[in-house]
Amino acid sequence: MRYMMLIYSNEMPEVSERNYEPHRALIDEATRAGVFVAAEPLAPPSSTTTLQIEDGRTLITDGPFAESKEQLGGYYIFDCENLDLAIEWAAKIHTACTASVSIEIRPMPGMPTLSNADAVPSKSLVRET
């Protein structure tokens, strides 16, 4: 099962000011263990654009959707045999972070498999060029 580890922090230094060495070491370790899928930091919340759709209307605003003390700073995706192993890897993320963080572990069950009949898009979904 793939697990996404969402890293939240009250402190959000600029990307250029972050120390990536502990994260690079963790990525190397996870790669050697065969569980690493992906990881990436996110730009600060001040760079966020939020899109909301209400009653068929699209509203675009600058900034995060909700004002919050904790901000999403990045993520890892690991392919682990079970939640216990995912928790072990999440603890290693915590030690790689220099700020106080909270890590949300979320299973990624994948998209349901489509039958051949469902895999053929309807004409209304095909973009003509």
Side-chain angles (χ1 to χ4, degrees):
M1 169 74 69
R2 288 176 303 136
Y3 293 88
M4 179 173 273
M5 317 300 185
L6 302 165
I7 305 167
Y8 293 91
S9 177
N10 290 337
E11 304 168 30
M12 190 66 58
E14 292 297 322
V15 174
S16 62
E17 298 172 3
R18 297 178 191 172
N19 179 4
Y20 293 105
E21 289 309 313
H23 292 283
R24 287 185 181 104
L26 177 57
I27 289 168
D28 288 345
E29 180 184 352
T31 299
R32 287 190 305 275
V35 298
F36 180 76
V37 176
E40 195 157 345
L42 299 176
S46 60
S47 66
T48 301
T49 300
T50 301
L51 182 121
Q52 290 178 281
I53 300 175
E54 293 181 14
D55 299 323
R57 294 187 324 245
T58 302
L59 175 64
I60 299 171
T61 56
D62 292 334
F65 175 71
E67 292 296 323
S68 174
K69 290 182 181 179
E70 284 191 334
Q71 299 293 329
L72 180 60
Y75 70 91
Y76 280 79
I77 299 174
F78 293 131
D79 191 357
C80 300
E81 292 180 17
N82 54 51
L83 179 59
D84 291 336
L85 188 56
I87 291 170
E88 289 179 28
W89 284 103
K92 293 179 182 193
I93 294 169
H94 188 269
T95 59
C97 294
T98 55
S100 177
V101 297
S102 174
I103 300 171
E104 180 181 332
I105 303 170
R106 186 132 358 146
M108 299 175 67
M111 295 293 287
T113 305
L114 298 176
S115 69
N116 285 340
D118 293 336
V120 178
S122 69
K123 185 169 176 94
S124 64
L125 297 177
V126 175
R127 183 175 160 182
E128 294 184 25
T129 55

